Amino acid sequence: MSTENGLKSGSNLEKILKAGHFAFTGELGPPRGTDAAVIREKAAFLKGNVDAVNITDNQTAMVRMSSWAACLLLLQEGLEPNYQMVCRDRNRLAMQSDILGASALGIRNILCLSGDHQKFGDHPQAKGVFDIDSMQLIGMIKQMRDEGTFLSGAEIAAPPKLFIGAAANPFADPFEWRVFRLEKKITAGADFIQTQCIYNMKKFKEWLSLADDMGLTEKTRILAGVTPMKSVGMARYMQSNVPGMDVPEEIVKRLQGVGKGKVAEEGIKIACEQIEELKEMKGVAGVHLMAIEWEHKVPEITERAGMLPRPTID
Amino acid sequence: MIVAKRKPFEEIKKMLEGYKRVLNVGCGTCVSVCLAGGEKEVAVLNAEIDMVRRLEKDPVELGELTVERQCDREYLAQLDDKVDDYDAIVSMACGVGVQFLAERFPHIPVFPAVDTCGLAVNLSVGRYAERCRSCNDCILGLTGGICPVTMCAKGLYNGPCGGSHKGSCEIGADQPCAWNQIYERLSRQNRLDDIRKLTPAAEWKDQVPRTLIQPGYEKL
Ligand code: SF4
Ligand code: SF4
């Protein structure tokens, strides 16, 4: 079931991708407190520079303001949110009710994730829910939207309208299985994909070409993940401590090579070069920029990467 | 088998505060095999309690008895004429045994002396690893004989997640990624097609207390 104009959700992101533009999305982490101003300040840097903004859901298993609430604040600021939902913190009842609420509030994009294990966060003793997994979450939302029924099969009065996203990590193992997992997510109902941050471009291209061979790049829209490195320490940390991250030594070396005070600039330079390269790549429909706690740099990166002005579609 | 671990002594001691005659009941089956609550462990715990309570000038009269299985009525019957000599019972059986004992003697407080950890295999003497969460809807046929409900840290039905790294789970290098193992085993058996299909959401069958009646025993 799609809307009259052939759109599934009518989100800006959906329209941009449908029109064949190269999409550019950003990310914003809600605060560990109630200050809405924090979100408004971060949003100001993103406004006009990105097509949609991912709002993380208790990222790295740390308690934060709820994703849907932060999405609503973003909507009030005139930006389009991409509501992230993890399977770690809620069961199918809570998920479906939040999905209805999100759609009622005007949220039109959702990204389905498993979620980092609770062990990494500030409540490592919490019970992980994982009632359903990210694959099943994608399928559940598609069912709610397209069939107008809950997971149980009961009818929904006024089903949600959502553009369904999923994550893909080309750098996780086993590598050969990653495209099949992508295929599975597409079959389940993923309209778009956002990838893990890319540092190992060679491996990413390998994955992309496998996906392309299987015809998957035609069946969904892949947004490539980019995160600028702020420091050598961050690069080292991501290299050894962040699950599923692949930071080749040459990236660290390049950052080290530029000397004190210039590392952040080099990090941005690398990110811009990556975006330039991704723009030309067959099968890449856009870039997802995750400038973690670096939102104020987004206008500069967007400008330098040639991503402005962002297209507007009615 | 069911595996369990002896509770820290301080915790057991605290539960027994104020009781003067305590019967310690071991179990000769699973917890005996996994070295947590058999005859030997009963003797060790009693010796510890005895010594500490003497030192604290609060002696306690201790009894000990290890039955074949605390989860079986037949074996609990031998306690019937003994328990009234005591004002508390310590059970070194798994949680099932503790409850069955408490149910049989509702007038006497029963305290657990072990923490029940799960359904596990014996890796080598003293080392056990969990393998099943008794979900009541076994999917091992689909997953190459490796249980994702138990062995995957997120209990995923459609893994591996994006945290799988060089054969390890995202929770740590020491923990193998169950879905990586499933992938490898199915790949060797040419059965990857089984996990290419979406496994639908589980219909949890362990959300209410379960009673099992085997066919043919309905009326007993
Ligand atoms: S799927 Fe796993 S938890 Fe469920 S019965 Fe089988 S082995 Fe046990
Ligand atoms: S890394 Fe593997 S075992 Fe760990 S949570 Fe992910 S799929 Fe499960």
Side-chain angles (χ1 to χ4, degrees), chain B residues 131-140 147-150:
Chain B
R131 288 288 188 270
C132 174
R133 296 261 167 99
S134 61
C135 77
N136 214 153
D137 200 358
C138 197
I139 57 158
L140 288 173
C147 173
V149 179
T150 311

Side-chain angles (χ1 to χ4, degrees), chain A residues 92 119 131 133 173 181 184, chain B residues 158 166 171 195 202 204:
Chain A
R92 60 191 83 180
K119 166 179 176 178
D131 174 26
D133 62 25
D173 293 314
R181 192 164 161 77
K184 217 168 153 174
Chain B
N158 295 278
K166 292 198 171 95
I171 63 164
I195 55 166
W204 298 110

Side-chain angles (χ1 to χ4, degrees), chain B residues 151-154 156 160-161 163-164 168-170 177-179:
Chain B
M151 309 300 289
C152 164
K154 299 176 190 168
L156 305 178
C161 75
S164 182
S168 294
C169 171
E170 69 174 40
C177 167
W179 272 102

Side-chain angles (χ1 to χ4, degrees), chain A:
Chain A
M1 190 166 55
S2 53
T3 46
E4 287 139 42
N5 46 17
L7 294 166
K8 293 166 171 172
S9 70
S11 78
N12 184 47
L13 181 61
E14 181 183 10
K15 287 182 194 159
I16 283 188
L17 288 169
K18 199 170 182 215
H21 294 295
F22 193 79
F24 196 61
T25 54
E27 187 154 309
L28 191 158
R32 280 169 59 75
T34 59
D35 192 358
V38 175
I39 295 187
R40 296 202 177 98
E41 276 159 29
K42 287 182 176 178
F45 294 117
L46 294 160
K47 193 168 182 178
N49 292 316
V50 292
D51 305 321
V53 180
N54 284 39
I55 303 290
T56 55
D57 180 15
N58 284 346
Q59 190 183 343
T60 60
M62 304 277 279
V63 177
R64 290 171 181 276
M65 184 192 292
S66 60
S67 179
W68 70 260
C71 284
L72 183 58
L73 289 165
L74 209 71
L75 277 172
Q76 290 167 356
E77 294 303 296
L79 284 92
E80 175 167 291
N82 180 14
Y83 175 29
Q84 293 196 3
M85 184 178 275
V86 301
C87 299
R88 182 194 56 232
D89 305 335
R90 35 178 93 60
N91 68 8
R92 60 191 83 180
L93 286 161
M95 284 174 150
Q96 291 179 100
S97 87
D98 279 350
I99 287 161
L100 295 182
S103 189
L105 292 171
I107 294 166
R108 291 287 171 264
N109 307 300
I110 188 162
L111 186 79
C112 308
L113 304 162
S114 306
D116 295 317
H117 195 273
Q118 58 275 17
K119 166 179 176 178
F120 295 103
D122 61 346
H123 292 73
Q125 66 285 78
K127 177 165 181 164
V129 179
F130 302 109
D131 174 26
I132 60 173
D133 62 25
S134 61
M135 203 73 76
Q136 295 159 345
L137 174 59
I138 297 165
M140 182 173 81
I141 302 173
K142 186 178 161 64
Q143 179 185 339
M144 292 172 78
R145 183 193 66 195
D146 296 350
E147 288 163 38
T149 56
F150 291 111
L151 188 60
S152 64
E155 206 166 305
I156 303 174
K161 288 191 185 68
L162 287 160
F163 196 44
I164 306 169
N169 184 2
F171 312 106
D173 293 314
F175 177 71
E176 320 78 73
W177 188 249
R178 289 291 142 186
V179 274
F180 291 105
R181 192 164 161 77
L182 172 67
E183 180 193 44
K184 217 168 153 174
K185 287 192 173 177
I186 296 167
T187 311
D191 301 311
F192 70 100
I193 299 289
Q194 289 175 321
T195 78
Q196 173 69 287
C197 324
I198 301 160
Y199 296 106
N200 188 341
M201 196 53 96
K202 190 171 157 276
K203 198 157 191 186
F204 176 72
K205 284 184 189 162
E206 233 175 284
W207 173 82
L208 191 68
S209 103
L210 288 171
D212 204 46
D213 291 346
M214 285 170 70
L216 301 179
T217 54
E218 303 288 316
K219 292 185 184 155
T220 193
R221 297 277 183 271
I222 297 173
L223 275 59
V226 171
T227 291
M229 292 287 194
K230 287 194 243 186
S231 63
V232 175
M234 172 181 173
R236 279 270 178 249
Y237 183 82
M238 285 185 139
Q239 193 176 39
S240 43
N241 294 328
V242 181
M245 200 71 83
D246 181 352
V247 183
E249 198 50 35
E250 60 246 41
I251 295 271
V252 185
K253 288 250 163 66
R254 183 169 159 188
L255 292 169
Q256 276 170 335
V258 296
K260 259 206 153 118
K262 297 194 188 116
V263 179
E265 166 57 26
E266 194 64 17
I268 292 178
K269 224 167 126 191
I270 295 172
C272 292
E273 290 169 14
Q274 286 180 325
I275 297 170
E276 290 289 346
E277 195 176 352
L278 291 162
K279 246 194 299 190
E280 305 305 322
M281 233 178 262
K282 180 172 180 282
V284 175
V287 159
H288 177 50
L289 179 72
M290 292 163 271
I292 306 158
E293 292 306 318
W294 226 18
E295 289 82 1
H296 64 280
K297 290 282 184 188
V298 171
E300 182 192 335
I301 299 168
T302 318
E303 171 83 62
R304 284 171 58 179
M307 284 290 126
L308 290 178
R310 297 311 308 150
T312 45
I313 299 171
D314 294 326

Side-chain angles (χ1 to χ4, degrees), chain B residues 44-144:
Chain B
V44 170
L45 177 59
N46 271 12
E48 229 174 325
I49 298 170
D50 183 55
M51 188 183 76
V52 171
R53 291 279 290 257
R54 263 178 218 273
L55 276 174
E56 291 181 353
K57 307 242 174 312
D58 180 21
V60 55
E61 185 190 315
L62 291 159
E64 59 184 73
L65 186 78
T66 296
V67 301
E68 185 67 29
R69 276 203 295 282
Q70 284 191 33
C71 55
D72 217 320
R73 271 208 186 89
E74 191 187 327
Y75 298 108
L76 290 187
Q78 59 186 289
L79 291 164
D80 291 354
D81 58 356
K82 297 195 176 65
V83 294
D84 286 327
D85 297 339
Y86 299 93
D87 55 11
I89 299 175
V90 167
S91 167
M92 296 198 78
C94 72
V96 172
V98 179
Q99 292 185 61
F100 216 30
L101 204 59
E103 189 180 317
R104 191 170 184 99
F105 309 114
H107 58 294
I108 305 174
V110 175
F111 299 106
V114 304
D115 290 314
T116 305
C117 314
L119 306 180
V121 292
N122 200 337
L123 296 176
S124 61
V125 181
R127 292 179 66 234
Y128 311 91
E130 194 184 10
R131 288 288 188 270
C132 174
R133 296 261 167 99
S134 61
C135 77
N136 214 153
D137 200 358
C138 197
I139 57 158
L140 288 173
L142 184 72
T143 56

